[in-house]
Amino acid sequence: MTFNVDRTTVTEGDIVEVRWDCSGAERVELKIDNGYKATVLPLEISGSKRFRLHRSKGRTSLTITAWKDGKHGSKTIKVRVTDIPTTHAETVDNQGRKVSGIQQWWQQTKLRYQSLPSDKRVAANVTMIVAAMLLLTLLSPRLLMLGLLGLLFYLLYVLWKKN
């Protein structure tokens, strides 16, 4: 039985060519085990196949097993699979300055707020005023009156403003 691969070290996503010759065998199988999942494929008695090796726990085992007269023999080759190198991406503004996660979140929140229909914007404003009012009353219960006055003036403004 002969069994070999064209290379034993690859980067994730590369293709490996497997060649075998099990002359005289009745049945041949190839087991591919990447550490997460094992797959068994029936093969011809001799030939070659190409496989793309994806996710792996560092090594992928390729085991060929041949059966003849009720007995079997196998051979294993391990292929080292290295992770694809990744690059760190960052968001920059129009002037080329790095944008922090908080700034990015704030920009997205402002865009979402601006795309709301007017009635939902009013509801969002009232929600923010009530939330601020509740936080202020934690400091001093007397500030509840100030918050209620702020809410009243905001609602009057919404009623009287022209669209």
Side-chain angles (χ1 to χ4, degrees):
M1 168 189 335
T2 60
F3 177 53
N4 55 40
V5 294
D6 62 341
R7 47 198 177 143
T8 56
T9 302
V10 296
T11 302
E12 198 174 82
D14 285 350
I15 295 174
V16 173
E17 184 173 3
V18 177
R19 291 178 295 284
W20 70 94
D21 184 7
C22 302
S23 299
E26 298 165 354
R27 182 175 64 141
V28 179
E29 289 181 348
L30 177 66
K31 178 181 176 184
I32 304 171
D33 185 357
N34 65 4
Y36 295 103
K37 180 181 175 185
T39 305
V40 178
L41 304 168
L43 298 175
E44 300 292 322
I45 301 303
S46 64
S48 68
K49 280 195 176 221
R50 294 168 52 114
F51 297 97
R52 185 176 308 276
L53 300 182
H54 291 290
R55 186 174 80 139
S56 175
K57 286 190 177 178
R59 291 202 186 277
T60 296
S61 298
L62 303 166
T63 304
I64 193 160
T65 306
W67 281 266
K68 182 176 182 181
D69 298 329
K71 296 181 182 179
H72 70 279
S74 62
K75 185 176 178 184
T76 301
I77 296 176
K78 294 190 184 227
V79 178
R80 184 169 178 238
V81 181
T82 57
D83 291 337
I84 295 174
T86 57
T87 57
H88 177 70
E90 57 186 32
T91 306
V92 293
D93 62 9
N94 293 336
Q95 286 79 31
R97 295 177 300 211
K98 182 179 171 185
V99 177
S100 71
I102 293 172
Q103 287 173 318
Q104 195 171 357
W105 172 83
W106 181 248
Q107 293 299 326
Q108 288 173 346
T109 303
K110 282 189 346 187
L111 285 173
R112 286 184 189 136
Y113 176 80
Q114 291 168 353
S115 67
L116 287 175
S118 62
D119 58 336
K120 288 194 177 188
R121 250 191 255 162
V122 169
N125 290 341
V126 169
T127 302
M128 293 306 291
I129 291 171
V130 170
M133 192 171 60
L134 290 173
L135 285 174
L136 286 175
T137 57
L138 288 175
L139 298 174
S140 172
R142 293 180 184 174
L143 294 176
L144 177 63
M145 191 59 69
L146 182 65
L148 288 174
L149 279 174
L151 182 60
L152 176 68
F153 286 129
Y154 174 72
L155 291 174
L156 286 173
Y157 165 76
V158 169
L159 286 174
W160 288 334
K161 77 173 185 172
K162 295 181 181 178
N163 290 331

